[in-house]
Amino acid sequence: LLQQLCNLRDKRYGISKIYKSIAICLNFRIFDYAASVAQIGVELGYLSRDEYKNILSNIHIYSHKGVLPNFPGKSKLYKLVNLIAEKLKPESHLGWADGDRKIGNIKDL
């Protein structure tokens, strides 16, 4: 992206590429890279400092959407919900290709 932006002559096209890149980063939840793209936009003169601050503020807000705050028992609740999900998971019809959430080939007894 940096190399493409350095070689552009049309400022509006560069701004468009920056915003599209940030949107893609947000879609894939790569928030630190989205902030880096905005920083590059400022350094190359495509974005103002105010636009940069606004983008960072929106990245921060978006990154915390859908995240539960910490509360007592959150870890235990997660384990319980995960256990229920594992029990409700359908088995494969062949039986040999089932996966689990553990790394390696040793399971808890």
Side-chain angles (χ1 to χ4, degrees):
L1 178 66
L2 179 61
Q3 187 177 14
Q4 290 176 348
L5 290 173
C6 286
N7 296 329
L8 285 179
R9 304 224 189 282
D10 185 4
K11 185 173 181 175
R12 289 187 313 182
Y13 183 68
I15 292 169
S16 173
K17 286 190 83 61
I18 289 169
Y19 277 103
K20 287 176 184 177
S21 298
I22 291 170
I24 291 168
C25 291
L26 294 178
N27 185 52
F28 288 103
R29 302 187 65 78
I30 311 170
F31 305 116
D32 55 341
Y33 192 71
S36 296
V37 169
Q39 178 71 36
I40 289 169
V42 171
E43 290 172 0
L44 295 178
Y46 289 102
L47 301 174
S48 69
R49 287 278 174 201
D50 289 337
E51 288 172 314
Y52 174 70
K53 288 177 186 177
N54 188 29
I55 290 170
L56 286 186
S57 174
N58 284 308
I59 290 171
H60 179 75
I61 291 167
Y62 186 79
S63 69
H64 287 85
K65 282 189 174 187
V67 177
L68 286 176
N70 284 332
F71 57 87
K74 181 178 177 182
S75 177
K76 288 181 183 180
L77 181 62
Y78 169 79
K79 289 177 184 177
L80 175 65
V81 170
N82 206 19
L83 178 68
I84 292 169
E86 286 294 320
K87 297 296 181 190
L88 294 176
K89 183 176 81 172
E91 294 181 26
S92 77
H93 52 330
L94 298 176
W96 60 269
D98 285 340
D100 56 30
R101 298 181 64 83
K102 300 192 183 337
I103 296 175
N105 58 0
I106 300 175
K107 292 187 178 190
D108 294 334
L109 298 175

